[in-house]
Amino acid sequence: MTTALITGSTAGIGAAFARRLAADGHDLVLVARDTERLREQATELHDRHGIEAEVLTADLSRDPGIEAVAARLGDRKNPVDLLINNAGFGNKGRYLDVSMADELTMLKVHCEAVLRLTSAAAEAMRERGRGGVVNVASVAAFVPRGTYGASKAWVVQFTQGAARDLADSGVRLMALCPGFVRTEFHERAGMGTDNIPGWMWLDADKLVAAALADLARGKSVSIPDPRYKALMGLVKVTPRALLGGVSSRTGRKYGPQ
C-alpha cells in the first residue's frame, strides 16, 4: 500500500486525483484550507474504496501551512510515495488591475509552496530510491500572458530541471499542463465561462488518467489531450511577437490574468 499527498484536494483536478488514486488502492493525505470539506471527502473515499484518508488543513499562501505540509512529506515513519502539488488559483483582472498583495499570494502558492513541498518530498523519496511528484501547471505556461502564465512557466521550468537532476535517483517529477478543465477554478476567481468554446473543455477524470499514464512513462511534462498538444505545437512555430498579441487577446477573453 502506498500513500499519495494531494494539495487542493477538495475540488477540481485535486479531487479527481483523489478519486482515481483511492480507486487504485492508495492511501491519501488530503490537504486544503476547509477542514469540513476535507473530512467529508476523507469519509467518502474511505467508505467507498476502503483506503485510509488522512486530513491536513493548511493554507499554502502562509508559511505555517507550507511548513505543516512539508513536515508531513518529510515524515520517514509514514512516507509519502506520490505528491500532487495541485493547489492554485487565478486572479481576475489584467496586470496592474490586480493588487500587489494578490499577485504575491499567487507567487507564494504557485512557486514558493511548490518549491518547498517538492524539495521536502523529493529528499525523502531519494533516500528510499523511489517516489513521484506531479506539479500542476497549465498550457498558459507556454504563452506570454500575464502573471498567472508566468507563475506556471516557472513550475514547468523548475520541474523539468529537477527531473533531470534526479534522473538516476528513482524519483520521477512531472509538470502537468492542462487547458480549460470543468472545475470550480473560474467560478472561485469570479470569471465567466460562457464564452469558452465547448471543444476547449477537458474532463478532470480523463485528464488525471492521462497524467498518471504519462508519469508512469517517465515524462517530465504532460499535456494530456490531443487538442492541446496540437495547439502547443502551433505555439512553438508561431513568432513571439505575433503570439504575444494573440495570447493577450485570447487571455482577456477566456483565461486568468
Side-chain angles (χ1 to χ4, degrees), residues 88-91 103 106 110 137-138 140-141 145-153 185 256-257:
F89 65 95
N91 287 319
E103 296 281 30
M106 177 182 286
H110 289 184
S138 167
R145 178 57 193 157
T147 52
Y148 177 85
S151 70
K152 293 302 187 179
F185 179 92
Q257 311 302 311

Side-chain angles (χ1 to χ4, degrees), residues 34-54:
D34 189 324
T35 303
E36 183 176 351
R37 287 186 72 178
L38 282 170
R39 288 174 176 166
E40 290 174 356
Q41 182 185 32
T43 298
E44 179 185 355
L45 294 172
H46 169 75
D47 292 348
R48 178 171 296 184
H49 301 291
I51 55 92
E52 296 301 319
E54 176 184 342

Side-chain angles (χ1 to χ4, degrees), residues 1-6 17-30 42 45-46 49-54 79-84 212 215:
M1 187 72 71
T2 59
T3 299
L5 185 149
I6 307 166
F17 268 111
R19 290 191 297 269
R20 171 57 188 268
L21 292 169
D24 287 347
H26 297 273
D27 289 336
L28 301 176
V29 182
L30 304 171
L45 294 172
H46 169 75
H49 301 291
I51 55 92
E52 296 301 319
E54 176 184 342
V80 170
D81 305 279
L82 176 64
L83 165 63
I84 311 293
L212 291 173
L215 181 67

Side-chain angles (χ1 to χ4, degrees), residues 139 177-179 199-202 206-207 210 214 219 222-234:
V139 293
C177 301
W199 68 266
M200 297 184 74
W201 287 106
L202 303 178
K206 292 179 180 177
L207 181 152
D214 282 346
K219 289 191 175 184
S222 171
I223 302 174
D225 185 88
R227 292 164 288 181
Y228 281 98
K229 284 185 173 75
L231 283 175
M232 293 306 103
L234 290 174

Side-chain angles (χ1 to χ4, degrees), residues 128-192:
R128 299 192 302 273
R130 67 184 187 280
V133 177
V134 176
N135 291 328
V136 178
S138 167
V139 293
F142 305 112
V143 294
R145 178 57 193 157
T147 52
Y148 177 85
S151 70
K152 293 302 187 179
W154 183 91
V155 172
V156 173
Q157 293 293 319
F158 161 67
T159 304
Q160 286 185 296
R164 284 192 293 270
D165 287 344
L166 296 176
D168 298 322
S169 68
V171 182
R172 295 181 177 181
L173 293 94
M174 185 182 80
L176 171 59
C177 301
F180 291 108
V181 185
R182 293 196 182 279
T183 69
E184 298 177 5
F185 179 92
H186 291 84
E187 180 182 351
R188 290 170 65 183
M191 302 172 189

